[in-house]
Structure formats: structure tokens, C-alpha cells
Amino acid sequence: MKDNMKRILCQIINSVVIAGVIILLIGLYYSIIRAGIPYQDPPLELQIEYAVNQGIGKVLTGTGLLTALCGSVVRLVIWKVWR
């Protein structure tokens, strides 16, 4: 029973790390591909579109990085405790 709980907990933590990496990659996509390099003298609607995509990328990148790092730290602590 104890080994089963350890395995399930490790799978949950690994899932959190993977979810963080996926969110991080989506945020990088928005920052690099969708927003890209800002236009030179764009009309107002393109400025708004750029700002929205850049904001989404910034929030998703930060959230993904934080999630992946927290999951990794928890996984490392649990590994040290069980060792």
C-alpha cells in the first residue's frame, strides 16, 4: 500500500512538472511567434493586438516557469526524504 501511494504521488508531481513545461512552451509561442517583433509605426488595432499577445505570452511564460520549478522542487524534496 505504501509503495502504491509513493508511485501515485510521484506521478502527480511529474504531471505538474509536465503541465508547467507545456504552459511555458505555449507562453513562449505567444511571445515569440504570435507577438514577434513589434511593427514600425503600426495602426492602433495592430498595436492592441501586439500588446494582447505579448501580455498573454508574459503571463503564460511566468506561470509555466513557476509551476515547473515548484513541481521540480517538490519532487526533489520528496526524493530526498524517501531516500
Side-chain angles (χ1 to χ4, degrees), residues 8 36 43-44 62:
I8 291 172
L44 183 60

Side-chain angles (χ1 to χ4, degrees), residues 35-69:
I37 299 172
Y39 300 105
Q40 183 177 355
D41 297 329
L44 183 60
E45 58 192 34
L46 287 179
Q47 287 178 353
I48 293 170
E49 182 181 338
Y50 175 79
V52 167
N53 286 333
Q54 191 65 29
I56 291 171
K58 184 182 284 188
V59 169
L60 286 178
T61 302
T63 303
L65 185 63
L66 184 66
T67 305
L69 285 177

Side-chain angles (χ1 to χ4, degrees), residues 9-58:
L9 187 60
C10 286
Q11 286 178 349
I12 291 172
I13 294 171
N14 288 340
S15 299
V16 168
V17 172
I18 291 171
V21 169
I22 290 171
I23 294 171
L24 175 69
L25 291 175
I26 292 171
L28 289 174
Y29 166 76
Y30 265 93
S31 294
I32 296 171
I33 305 297
R34 293 285 299 220
I37 299 172
Y39 300 105
Q40 183 177 355
D41 297 329
L44 183 60
E45 58 192 34
L46 287 179
Q47 287 178 353
I48 293 170
E49 182 181 338
Y50 175 79
V52 167
N53 286 333
Q54 191 65 29
I56 291 171
K58 184 182 284 188

Side-chain angles (χ1 to χ4, degrees), residues 9-10 13 72-83:
L9 187 60
C10 286
I13 294 171
S72 298
V73 167
V74 170
R75 180 77 166 107
L76 183 66
V77 167
I78 287 178
W79 178 71
K80 284 287 191 181
V81 168
W82 285 342
R83 200 163 189 246

